């Protein structure tokens, strides 16, 4: 009998399992109701008195070793499963965050793509500019408030060097370098000396459009903007042009689009007007053409400009402009394209 127990202890210590089922099978085989060890405990009463002590001792060793083996293999196999190193190849994987485009880039790319389809090409200019390109060549009167120190970041005291306050300066650079027809779209960063708040920032982005050719009319401007609005804001979008003033366009207008959130019925985004203000536009002022060496008897043109942050805020319902510049991954990851 003792040999039997010793033999079993050996077997048990060499036991190994690959699955939890094997462990359970082993447990039942040894410790189950009809298991080998249970059986040996039942035979204890038949053991001769002098052998009882040794038999009991060995039997207990066998029982504990078996229990330890069962426990050890159970935890080991549990861990393998939780590690993700289990061999179940059908389980879905954990996707790694691969980075995503910035919401401003998504919106800007979309706008540029729409105008590219109309034959516009991209033009860019410097962010550090001079008075001529930002103001004078765009027909800003000498005393215009936009030239005020409050709005413009000048580089150096009394200097002519400044950070551009709008992308309209690229229009001037384009007219310097190209002959009409000119049909360009000009994205870029602009700077204004303004207090940073939820609604305004000291730098932001704009995209500007310019079309100069023979016989360009206000109807062309309207049709171009209507196409853009339908492509960008949705095919049921309506546009509305309100008279406005910009020094470099005459006549000037501001364009509203019907609010896509409430379909023009009125909601808190459009402040219950049914309309959203999205861009400024107009016919290039003949003075601007002349200042830039373009024959204003032969050529006419239109221009428009819009803010990218404002457009992105409307599209995504972003309430605070500062979010775009904080590089907070919790914000940026929401724009991941899947
Ligand atoms: N430059 C203007 C601004 O920053 C926006 C603008 C308005 C651009 C009308 C244009 C335009 O080209 O025609 O507020």
């Amino acid at each position: 009998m003792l040999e039997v127990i010793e033999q079993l202890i050996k077997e048990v210590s060499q036991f190994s399992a690959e699955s939890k089922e094997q462990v359970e099978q082993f447990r039942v085989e040894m410790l189950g109701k009809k298991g080998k060890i249970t059986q040996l405990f039942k035979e204890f009463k038949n053991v001769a008195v002098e052998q009882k002590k040794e038999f009991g001792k060995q039997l207990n060793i066998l029982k504990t070793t078996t229990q330890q083996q069962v426990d050890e293999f159970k935890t080991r196999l549990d861990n393998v499963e939780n590690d993700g190193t289990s061999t179940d190849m059908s389980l879905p994987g954990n996707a790694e965050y691969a980075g995503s485009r910035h919401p401003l880039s998504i919106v800007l790319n979309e706008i540029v793509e729409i105008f590219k389809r109309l034959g516009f090409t991209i033009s860019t200019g410097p962010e550090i500019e001079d008075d001529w390109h930002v103001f004078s060549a765009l027909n800003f009167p000498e005393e215009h408030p936009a030239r005020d120190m409050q709005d413009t970041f000048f580089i150096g005291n009394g200097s002519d060097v400044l950070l551009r306050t709008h992308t309209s300066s690229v229009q001037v650079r384009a007219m310097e370098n190209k002959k009409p027809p000119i049909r360009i779209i000009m994205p870029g960063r602009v700077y204004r000396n303004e207090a940073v708040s939820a609604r305004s920032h000291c730098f932001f982005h704009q995209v500007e459009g310019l079309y100069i050719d023979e016989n360009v009319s206000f109807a062309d401007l309207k049709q171009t903007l209507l196409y853009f609005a339908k492509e960008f804001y949705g095919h049921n979008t309506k546009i509305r042009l309100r008279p406005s003033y910009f020094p470099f366009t005459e006549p000037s207008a501001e364009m509203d689009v019907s609010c896509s959130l409430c379909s023009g019925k009125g909601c808190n985004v459009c402040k219950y007007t049914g309309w959203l203000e999205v861009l400024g536009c107009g016919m290039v002022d003949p003075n601007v053409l002349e200042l830039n060496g373009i024959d204003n008897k032969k050529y006419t043109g239109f221009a428009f400009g819009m803010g990218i942050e404002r457009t992105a805020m409307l599209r995504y319902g972003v309430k605070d402009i500062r979010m775009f510049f904080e590089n907070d991954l919790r914000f940026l990851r929401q724009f991941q394209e899947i």
Side-chain angles (χ1 to χ4, degrees), residues 165-168 171 192 204 206 208-209 246 248-249 253 279-283 302-306:
T165 56
H166 56 180
T167 44
S168 305
Q171 290 189 25
R192 284 189 199 175
F204 54 98
Q206 290 185 331
E208 185 91 10
F246 299 104
F248 38 91
T249 45
L279 57 81
C281 61
M283 299 307 290
F302 67 68
F304 56 88
M306 67 187 113

PDB file of all heavy atoms in Angstrom, residues 165-168 171 192 204 206 208-209 246 248-249 253 279-283 302-306, ligand 1:
ATOM      1  N   THR A 165      -2.607  90.298 -40.905  1.00  0.00           N
ATOM      2  CA  THR A 165      -3.855  90.192 -40.150  1.00  0.00           C
ATOM      3  C   THR A 165      -4.924  89.457 -40.949  1.00  0.00           C
ATOM      4  O   THR A 165      -5.974  89.106 -40.437  1.00  0.00           O
ATOM      5  CB  THR A 165      -4.391  91.594 -39.811  1.00  0.00           C
ATOM      6  OG1 THR A 165      -4.520  92.312 -41.049  1.00  0.00           O
ATOM      7  CG2 THR A 165      -3.458  92.335 -38.885  1.00  0.00           C
ATOM      8  N   HIS A 166      -4.656  89.253 -42.233  1.00  0.00           N
ATOM      9  CA  HIS A 166      -5.577  88.475 -43.064  1.00  0.00           C
ATOM     10  C   HIS A 166      -4.828  87.900 -44.275  1.00  0.00           C
ATOM     11  O   HIS A 166      -3.741  88.375 -44.630  1.00  0.00           O
ATOM     12  CB  HIS A 166      -6.792  89.307 -43.516  1.00  0.00           C
ATOM     13  CG  HIS A 166      -6.457  90.583 -44.246  1.00  0.00           C
ATOM     14  ND1 HIS A 166      -7.433  91.434 -44.702  1.00  0.00           N
ATOM     15  CD2 HIS A 166      -5.269  91.139 -44.604  1.00  0.00           C
ATOM     16  CE1 HIS A 166      -6.863  92.466 -45.307  1.00  0.00           C
ATOM     17  NE2 HIS A 166      -5.551  92.301 -45.274  1.00  0.00           N
ATOM     18  N   THR A 167      -5.413  86.863 -44.881  1.00  0.00           N
ATOM     19  CA  THR A 167      -4.750  86.229 -46.031  1.00  0.00           C
ATOM     20  C   THR A 167      -4.965  87.034 -47.314  1.00  0.00           C
ATOM     21  O   THR A 167      -4.438  86.661 -48.367  1.00  0.00           O
ATOM     22  CB  THR A 167      -5.264  84.783 -46.239  1.00  0.00           C
ATOM     23  OG1 THR A 167      -6.683  84.792 -46.095  1.00  0.00           O
ATOM     24  CG2 THR A 167      -4.651  83.815 -45.245  1.00  0.00           C
ATOM     25  N   SER A 168      -5.696  88.146 -47.227  1.00  0.00           N
ATOM     26  CA  SER A 168      -5.897  88.982 -48.419  1.00  0.00           C
ATOM     27  C   SER A 168      -4.558  89.490 -48.961  1.00  0.00           C
ATOM     28  O   SER A 168      -4.447  89.823 -50.143  1.00  0.00           O
ATOM     29  CB  SER A 168      -6.824  90.154 -48.099  1.00  0.00           C
ATOM     30  OG  SER A 168      -8.032  89.674 -47.562  1.00  0.00           O
ATOM     31  N   GLN A 171      -3.379  87.931 -52.068  1.00  0.00           N
ATOM     32  CA  GLN A 171      -3.953  88.451 -53.326  1.00  0.00           C
ATOM     33  C   GLN A 171      -2.958  89.410 -53.985  1.00  0.00           C
ATOM     34  O   GLN A 171      -2.737  89.359 -55.192  1.00  0.00           O
ATOM     35  CB  GLN A 171      -5.230  89.256 -53.051  1.00  0.00           C
ATOM     36  CG  GLN A 171      -6.433  88.458 -52.602  1.00  0.00           C
ATOM     37  CD  GLN A 171      -7.674  89.362 -52.578  1.00  0.00           C
ATOM     38  OE1 GLN A 171      -7.749  90.364 -53.289  1.00  0.00           O
ATOM     39  NE2 GLN A 171      -8.653  88.989 -51.764  1.00  0.00           N
ATOM     40  N   ARG A 192      -3.754  88.538 -34.952  1.00  0.00           N
ATOM     41  CA  ARG A 192      -4.362  89.812 -34.552  1.00  0.00           C
ATOM     42  C   ARG A 192      -4.118  90.064 -33.073  1.00  0.00           C
ATOM     43  O   ARG A 192      -4.206  89.130 -32.268  1.00  0.00           O
ATOM     44  CB  ARG A 192      -5.872  89.796 -34.829  1.00  0.00           C
ATOM     45  CG  ARG A 192      -6.125  89.963 -36.310  1.00  0.00           C
ATOM     46  CD  ARG A 192      -7.560  90.167 -36.652  1.00  0.00           C
ATOM     47  NE  ARG A 192      -7.736  89.860 -38.071  1.00  0.00           N
ATOM     48  CZ  ARG A 192      -8.882  89.838 -38.689  1.00  0.00           C
ATOM     49  NH1 ARG A 192      -9.988  90.109 -38.037  1.00  0.00           N
ATOM     50  NH2 ARG A 192      -8.936  89.549 -39.975  1.00  0.00           N
ATOM     51  N   PHE A 204      -5.103  82.700 -35.891  1.00  0.00           N
ATOM     52  CA  PHE A 204      -6.090  81.750 -36.400  1.00  0.00           C
ATOM     53  C   PHE A 204      -5.830  81.547 -37.890  1.00  0.00           C
ATOM     54  O   PHE A 204      -4.784  81.979 -38.400  1.00  0.00           O
ATOM     55  CB  PHE A 204      -7.523  82.228 -36.100  1.00  0.00           C
ATOM     56  CG  PHE A 204      -7.851  83.611 -36.583  1.00  0.00           C
ATOM     57  CD1 PHE A 204      -8.535  83.805 -37.787  1.00  0.00           C
ATOM     58  CD2 PHE A 204      -7.499  84.731 -35.850  1.00  0.00           C
ATOM     59  CE1 PHE A 204      -8.851  85.081 -38.241  1.00  0.00           C
ATOM     60  CE2 PHE A 204      -7.808  86.022 -36.292  1.00  0.00           C
ATOM     61  CZ  PHE A 204      -8.474  86.188 -37.487  1.00  0.00           C
ATOM     62  N   GLN A 206      -7.213  81.402 -42.094  1.00  0.00           N
ATOM     63  CA  GLN A 206      -8.223  81.840 -43.071  1.00  0.00           C
ATOM     64  C   GLN A 206      -7.961  81.141 -44.391  1.00  0.00           C
ATOM     65  O   GLN A 206      -6.860  80.656 -44.643  1.00  0.00           O
ATOM     66  CB  GLN A 206      -8.107  83.348 -43.315  1.00  0.00           C
ATOM     67  CG  GLN A 206      -8.542  84.216 -42.157  1.00  0.00           C
ATOM     68  CD  GLN A 206      -8.523  85.696 -42.530  1.00  0.00           C
ATOM     69  OE1 GLN A 206      -7.737  86.119 -43.366  1.00  0.00           O
ATOM     70  NE2 GLN A 206      -9.389  86.474 -41.902  1.00  0.00           N
ATOM     71  N   GLU A 208      -8.629  82.238 -48.448  1.00  0.00           N
ATOM     72  CA  GLU A 208      -9.004  83.361 -49.287  1.00  0.00           C
ATOM     73  C   GLU A 208      -9.196  82.844 -50.707  1.00  0.00           C
ATOM     74  O   GLU A 208      -8.503  81.914 -51.123  1.00  0.00           O
ATOM     75  CB  GLU A 208      -7.806  84.330 -49.242  1.00  0.00           C
ATOM     76  CG  GLU A 208      -7.984  85.621 -49.931  1.00  0.00           C
ATOM     77  CD  GLU A 208      -8.541  86.675 -48.985  1.00  0.00           C
ATOM     78  OE1 GLU A 208      -8.610  86.434 -47.779  1.00  0.00           O
ATOM     79  OE2 GLU A 208      -8.935  87.730 -49.495  1.00  0.00           O
ATOM     80  N   GLY A 209     -10.111  83.457 -51.453  1.00  0.00           N
ATOM     81  CA  GLY A 209     -10.263  83.072 -52.862  1.00  0.00           C
ATOM     82  C   GLY A 209     -10.169  84.309 -53.736  1.00  0.00           C
ATOM     83  O   GLY A 209     -10.567  85.400 -53.323  1.00  0.00           O
ATOM     84  N   PHE A 246     -15.851  96.130 -47.149  1.00  0.00           N
ATOM     85  CA  PHE A 246     -14.419  95.827 -47.021  1.00  0.00           C
ATOM     86  C   PHE A 246     -13.710  96.810 -47.945  1.00  0.00           C
ATOM     87  O   PHE A 246     -14.204  97.086 -49.043  1.00  0.00           O
ATOM     88  CB  PHE A 246     -14.110  94.389 -47.462  1.00  0.00           C
ATOM     89  CG  PHE A 246     -14.826  93.353 -46.637  1.00  0.00           C
ATOM     90  CD1 PHE A 246     -15.948  92.688 -47.136  1.00  0.00           C
ATOM     91  CD2 PHE A 246     -14.385  93.035 -45.353  1.00  0.00           C
ATOM     92  CE1 PHE A 246     -16.622  91.753 -46.370  1.00  0.00           C
ATOM     93  CE2 PHE A 246     -15.062  92.090 -44.583  1.00  0.00           C
ATOM     94  CZ  PHE A 246     -16.183  91.449 -45.094  1.00  0.00           C
ATOM     95  N   PHE A 248     -11.252  96.520 -49.861  1.00  0.00           N
ATOM     96  CA  PHE A 248     -10.704  95.964 -51.114  1.00  0.00           C
ATOM     97  C   PHE A 248     -11.755  95.397 -52.052  1.00  0.00           C
ATOM     98  O   PHE A 248     -11.418  94.881 -53.114  1.00  0.00           O
ATOM     99  CB  PHE A 248      -9.656  94.898 -50.783  1.00  0.00           C
ATOM    100  CG  PHE A 248     -10.021  94.053 -49.585  1.00  0.00           C
ATOM    101  CD1 PHE A 248     -10.739  92.885 -49.733  1.00  0.00           C
ATOM    102  CD2 PHE A 248      -9.657  94.460 -48.306  1.00  0.00           C
ATOM    103  CE1 PHE A 248     -11.093  92.130 -48.624  1.00  0.00           C
ATOM    104  CE2 PHE A 248      -9.997  93.710 -47.196  1.00  0.00           C
ATOM    105  CZ  PHE A 248     -10.723  92.537 -47.351  1.00  0.00           C
ATOM    106  N   THR A 249     -13.032  95.448 -51.669  1.00  0.00           N
ATOM    107  CA  THR A 249     -14.087  94.966 -52.566  1.00  0.00           C
ATOM    108  C   THR A 249     -15.198  96.007 -52.685  1.00  0.00           C
ATOM    109  O   THR A 249     -15.490  96.727 -51.739  1.00  0.00           O
ATOM    110  CB  THR A 249     -14.687  93.634 -52.050  1.00  0.00           C
ATOM    111  OG1 THR A 249     -14.924  93.748 -50.663  1.00  0.00           O
ATOM    112  CG2 THR A 249     -13.778  92.448 -52.340  1.00  0.00           C
ATOM    113  N   ALA A 253     -20.024  91.993 -49.613  1.00  0.00           N
ATOM    114  CA  ALA A 253     -21.154  91.283 -49.011  1.00  0.00           C
ATOM    115  C   ALA A 253     -20.667  90.312 -47.953  1.00  0.00           C
ATOM    116  O   ALA A 253     -19.491  89.928 -47.928  1.00  0.00           O
ATOM    117  CB  ALA A 253     -21.937  90.529 -50.085  1.00  0.00           C
ATOM    118  N   LEU A 279     -18.823  83.809 -44.418  1.00  0.00           N
ATOM    119  CA  LEU A 279     -17.671  84.425 -45.096  1.00  0.00           C
ATOM    120  C   LEU A 279     -17.961  85.841 -45.576  1.00  0.00           C
ATOM    121  O   LEU A 279     -19.109  86.268 -45.678  1.00  0.00           O
ATOM    122  CB  LEU A 279     -17.192  83.548 -46.263  1.00  0.00           C
ATOM    123  CG  LEU A 279     -18.124  83.148 -47.396  1.00  0.00           C
ATOM    124  CD1 LEU A 279     -18.255  84.254 -48.434  1.00  0.00           C
ATOM    125  CD2 LEU A 279     -17.568  81.908 -48.092  1.00  0.00           C
ATOM    126  N   GLY A 280     -16.859  86.545 -45.912  1.00  0.00           N
ATOM    127  CA  GLY A 280     -16.945  87.879 -46.510  1.00  0.00           C
ATOM    128  C   GLY A 280     -16.532  87.771 -47.963  1.00  0.00           C
ATOM    129  O   GLY A 280     -15.713  86.927 -48.321  1.00  0.00           O
ATOM    130  N   CYS A 281     -17.125  88.633 -48.810  1.00  0.00           N
ATOM    131  CA  CYS A 281     -16.804  88.516 -50.239  1.00  0.00           C
ATOM    132  C   CYS A 281     -17.151  89.822 -50.963  1.00  0.00           C
ATOM    133  O   CYS A 281     -17.680  90.758 -50.362  1.00  0.00           O
ATOM    134  CB  CYS A 281     -17.592  87.365 -50.858  1.00  0.00           C
ATOM    135  SG  CYS A 281     -19.375  87.583 -50.740  1.00  0.00           S
ATOM    136  N   GLY A 282     -16.874  89.851 -52.246  1.00  0.00           N
ATOM    137  CA  GLY A 282     -17.234  91.024 -53.029  1.00  0.00           C
ATOM    138  C   GLY A 282     -16.500  91.047 -54.352  1.00  0.00           C
ATOM    139  O   GLY A 282     -15.700  90.169 -54.654  1.00  0.00           O
ATOM    140  N   MET A 283     -16.781  92.091 -55.141  1.00  0.00           N
ATOM    141  CA  MET A 283     -16.075  92.292 -56.406  1.00  0.00           C
ATOM    142  C   MET A 283     -14.804  93.080 -56.098  1.00  0.00           C
ATOM    143  O   MET A 283     -14.868  94.074 -55.358  1.00  0.00           O
ATOM    144  CB  MET A 283     -16.950  93.082 -57.391  1.00  0.00           C
ATOM    145  CG  MET A 283     -18.259  92.406 -57.763  1.00  0.00           C
ATOM    146  SD  MET A 283     -18.053  90.717 -58.371  1.00  0.00           S
ATOM    147  CE  MET A 283     -17.285  91.023 -59.962  1.00  0.00           C
ATOM    148  N   PHE A 302     -13.590  88.733 -58.514  1.00  0.00           N
ATOM    149  CA  PHE A 302     -14.235  88.624 -57.197  1.00  0.00           C
ATOM    150  C   PHE A 302     -13.264  88.001 -56.210  1.00  0.00           C
ATOM    151  O   PHE A 302     -12.278  87.351 -56.600  1.00  0.00           O
ATOM    152  CB  PHE A 302     -15.576  87.867 -57.256  1.00  0.00           C
ATOM    153  CG  PHE A 302     -15.512  86.396 -57.607  1.00  0.00           C
ATOM    154  CD1 PHE A 302     -14.937  85.462 -56.742  1.00  0.00           C
ATOM    155  CD2 PHE A 302     -16.092  85.932 -58.792  1.00  0.00           C
ATOM    156  CE1 PHE A 302     -14.924  84.108 -57.050  1.00  0.00           C
ATOM    157  CE2 PHE A 302     -16.090  84.573 -59.109  1.00  0.00           C
ATOM    158  CZ  PHE A 302     -15.496  83.663 -58.241  1.00  0.00           C
ATOM    159  N   ALA A 303     -13.547  88.237 -54.908  1.00  0.00           N
ATOM    160  CA  ALA A 303     -12.712  87.672 -53.842  1.00  0.00           C
ATOM    161  C   ALA A 303     -13.620  87.257 -52.691  1.00  0.00           C
ATOM    162  O   ALA A 303     -14.753  87.727 -52.576  1.00  0.00           O
ATOM    163  CB  ALA A 303     -11.703  88.710 -53.369  1.00  0.00           C
ATOM    164  N   PHE A 304     -13.124  86.358 -51.911  1.00  0.00           N
ATOM    165  CA  PHE A 304     -13.864  85.967 -50.695  1.00  0.00           C
ATOM    166  C   PHE A 304     -12.854  85.465 -49.664  1.00  0.00           C
ATOM    167  O   PHE A 304     -11.717  85.105 -50.013  1.00  0.00           O
ATOM    168  CB  PHE A 304     -14.917  84.876 -51.000  1.00  0.00           C
ATOM    169  CG  PHE A 304     -14.335  83.642 -51.641  1.00  0.00           C
ATOM    170  CD1 PHE A 304     -13.843  82.601 -50.874  1.00  0.00           C
ATOM    171  CD2 PHE A 304     -14.291  83.531 -53.033  1.00  0.00           C
ATOM    172  CE1 PHE A 304     -13.302  81.475 -51.474  1.00  0.00           C
ATOM    173  CE2 PHE A 304     -13.751  82.405 -53.644  1.00  0.00           C
ATOM    174  CZ  PHE A 304     -13.253  81.369 -52.858  1.00  0.00           C
ATOM    175  N   GLY A 305     -13.252  85.493 -48.401  1.00  0.00           N
ATOM    176  CA  GLY A 305     -12.357  85.015 -47.356  1.00  0.00           C
ATOM    177  C   GLY A 305     -13.163  84.472 -46.196  1.00  0.00           C
ATOM    178  O   GLY A 305     -14.219  85.006 -45.859  1.00  0.00           O
ATOM    179  N   MET A 306     -12.668  83.357 -45.614  1.00  0.00           N
ATOM    180  CA  MET A 306     -13.393  82.814 -44.448  1.00  0.00           C
ATOM    181  C   MET A 306     -12.430  82.288 -43.390  1.00  0.00           C
ATOM    182  O   MET A 306     -11.283  81.946 -43.696  1.00  0.00           O
ATOM    183  CB  MET A 306     -14.374  81.723 -44.881  1.00  0.00           C
ATOM    184  CG  MET A 306     -13.756  80.460 -45.416  1.00  0.00           C
ATOM    185  SD  MET A 306     -15.013  79.363 -46.081  1.00  0.00           S
ATOM    186  CE  MET A 306     -14.602  79.410 -47.817  1.00  0.00           C
TER     187      MET A 306
HETATM  188  N1  LIG B   1      -9.922  89.823 -45.189  1.00  0.00           N
HETATM  189  C1  LIG B   1     -11.215  89.816 -44.550  1.00  0.00           C
HETATM  190  C2  LIG B   1     -11.054  89.651 -43.054  1.00  0.00           C
HETATM  191  O1  LIG B   1     -10.017  89.235 -42.624  1.00  0.00           O
HETATM  192  C3  LIG B   1     -12.070  88.713 -45.098  1.00  0.00           C
HETATM  193  C4  LIG B   1     -12.464  88.965 -46.519  1.00  0.00           C
HETATM  194  C5  LIG B   1     -13.631  89.670 -46.787  1.00  0.00           C
HETATM  195  C6  LIG B   1     -11.697  88.530 -47.559  1.00  0.00           C
HETATM  196  C7  LIG B   1     -14.031  89.901 -48.074  1.00  0.00           C
HETATM  197  C8  LIG B   1     -12.089  88.766 -48.886  1.00  0.00           C
HETATM  198  C9  LIG B   1     -13.289  89.462 -49.119  1.00  0.00           C
HETATM  199  O2  LIG B   1     -11.383  88.346 -49.927  1.00  0.00           O
HETATM  200  O3  LIG B   1     -13.640  89.673 -50.385  1.00  0.00           O
HETATM  201  O4  LIG B   1     -11.970  89.922 -42.341  1.00  0.00           O
END
